[in-house]
């Protein structure tokens, strides 16, 4: 952990700890959030989703997951051993945006092909993970935004890890736009086979910086390690590595 001598929390004066590549840091002593480059206070809404589970309950949830579904080896729960349970508060940008795509394309499923145009208009709370490489399946994560509260460092468990942001607001917005564009391109393929023109306009309503509790569970099964990611706010398994049957 690098400690920059010249960056101190402008709220409580404690040194602000951060790693290379981190751009926005939250003080672990008072919860105040600072932009590292400038040392200035972070001016956007900073929210927190509360973790509702403890270490023991994680054993139960992991056991339930191992017992459920047809895809898993029958002895998975019996023969597995949980070797790590880490609670990590991951940083996200939540981009509340209305996206309007106008397109023109060619519908080739009939002869002769016809030119069609249309619009896709959707509202999103689009989630962008604020880390460059965290191995987290953001699109599979249905963030329970209704439970968010203003960031409160006192609600963070002593054993939990809070990750800082490596992505600033404008970059997060660009990423959200790119991802929405890809999504709309996918949607309009139901309507046209070849896209001739496509433009998307965005109306950004709000951008919120959010820390969400994710449990990283590591378990061993027959000599191999596997990972399970569980949403600490809902107990839902976001992603689980399943050993192949018949080993
Ligand atoms: Zn502080």
């Amino acid at each position: 952990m690098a400690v920059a001598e010249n960056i101190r929390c402008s709220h409580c004066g404690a040194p602000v700890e951060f790693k290379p590549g981190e751009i926005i840091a939250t003080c672990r002593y008072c919860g105040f959030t600072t932009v590292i480059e400038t040392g200035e206070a972070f001016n956007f809404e900073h929210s927190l989703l509360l973790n509702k589970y403890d270490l023991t309950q994680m054993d139960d949830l992991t056991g339930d997951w191992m017992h459920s579904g047809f895809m898993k080896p029958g002895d998975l729960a019996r023969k597995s051993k949980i070797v790590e349970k880490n609670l990590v508060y991951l940083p996200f940008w939540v981009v509340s945006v209305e996206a309007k795509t106008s397109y023109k394309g060619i519908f080739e499923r009939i002869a002769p092909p016809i030119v069609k145009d249309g619009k896709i208009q959707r509202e999103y709370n689009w989630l962008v993970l604020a880390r460059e490489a965290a191995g987290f399946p953001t699109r599979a994560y249905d963030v329970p935004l209704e439970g968010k509260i203003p960031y409160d460092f006192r609600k963070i468990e002593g054993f939990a890890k809070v990750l800082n942001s490596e992505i600033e607001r404008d970059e997060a917005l660009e990423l959200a736009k790119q991802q929405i564009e890809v999504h709309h391109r996918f949607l309009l393929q139901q309507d046209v086979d070849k896209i001739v023109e496509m433009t998307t306009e965005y109306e950004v309503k709000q951008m919120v910086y959010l820390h969400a509790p994710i449990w990283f569970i590591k378990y061993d099964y027959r000599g191999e390690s596997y990972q399970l990611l569980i949403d600490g706010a809902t107990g839902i398994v976001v992603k689980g590595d399943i050993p192949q049957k018949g080993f």
Side-chain angles (χ1 to χ4, degrees):
M1 186 82 65
V3 179
E5 291 300 322
N6 54 341
I7 296 219
R8 292 194 167 264
C9 174
S10 53
H11 186 245
C12 77
V16 176
E17 294 179 354
F18 61 94
K19 289 179 182 149
E22 293 181 347
I23 284 173
I24 299 161
T26 299
C27 175
R28 52 185 281 230
Y29 301 100
C30 77
F32 198 75
T33 297
T34 307
V35 181
I36 293 168
E37 208 173 286
T38 59
E40 280 166 16
F42 179 75
N43 287 322
F44 300 95
E45 186 183 330
H46 186 186
S47 297
L48 176 70
L49 289 175
L50 296 175
N51 167 57
K52 298 195 184 109
Y53 297 87
D54 62 23
L55 290 154
T56 314
Q57 288 169 309
M58 276 300 128
D59 292 338
D60 298 340
L61 287 175
T62 303
D64 291 348
W65 176 79
M66 286 176 171
H67 277 116
S68 69
F70 298 105
M71 302 292 288
K72 302 186 186 90
D75 63 355
L76 183 60
R78 206 157 18 93
K79 290 278 169 66
S80 291
K81 191 168 177 268
I82 296 175
V83 289
E84 269 178 31
K85 288 177 276 187
N86 294 316
L87 174 58
V88 180
Y89 286 83
L90 288 179
F92 292 95
W93 285 97
V94 184
V95 183
S96 300
V97 62
E98 185 176 84
K100 289 182 206 166
T101 297
S102 307
Y103 63 90
K104 190 193 260 183
I106 302 167
F107 188 70
E108 294 175 328
R109 276 162 269 183
I110 52 166
I114 53 165
V115 174
K116 283 174 87 175
D117 50 30
K119 278 186 170 53
I120 296 172
Q121 183 170 348
R122 299 264 170 110
E123 282 193 36
Y124 300 103
N125 287 313
W126 199 268
L127 200 62
V128 177
L129 181 62
R131 299 288 290 192
E132 302 285 354
F136 185 79
T138 309
R139 295 278 78 81
Y141 174 45
D142 192 11
V143 58
L145 282 177
E146 60 282 1
K148 78 180 166 64
I149 61 163
Y151 188 83
D152 183 348
F153 74 104
R154 289 163 298 192
K155 297 280 202 311
I156 307 276
E157 297 80 353
F159 62 86
K161 198 163 142 187
V162 181
L163 295 185
N164 287 320
S165 178
E166 295 173 339
I167 292 175
E168 47 124 6
R169 179 193 182 276
D170 291 350
E171 195 183 347
L173 179 56
E174 259 333 289
L175 283 170
K177 286 179 178 176
Q178 285 169 20
Q179 291 165 3
I180 290 170
E181 180 126 347
V182 169
H183 179 57
H184 280 195
R185 193 172 281 273
F186 169 78
L187 291 179
L188 65 83
Q189 276 163 9
Q190 293 165 359
D191 200 37
V192 293
D193 298 298
K194 202 176 280 168
I195 300 165
V196 177
E197 256 177 54
M198 173 180 173
T199 51
T200 305
E201 282 171 37
Y202 300 92
E203 195 188 326
V204 180
K205 316 249 159 152
Q206 197 188 20
M207 281 190 72
V208 173
Y209 184 51
L210 172 87
H211 274 98
I214 303 293
W215 287 85
F216 286 73
I217 312 286
K218 197 170 132 193
Y219 71 91
D220 287 350
Y221 172 75
R222 296 185 182 268
E224 298 280 339
S225 286
Y226 300 91
Q227 194 186 49
L228 196 64
L229 304 180
I230 299 179
D231 176 4
T234 60
I236 292 170
V237 173
V238 179
K239 182 177 176 243
D241 295 337
I242 302 171
Q244 276 192 310
K245 262 182 171 177
F247 273 3

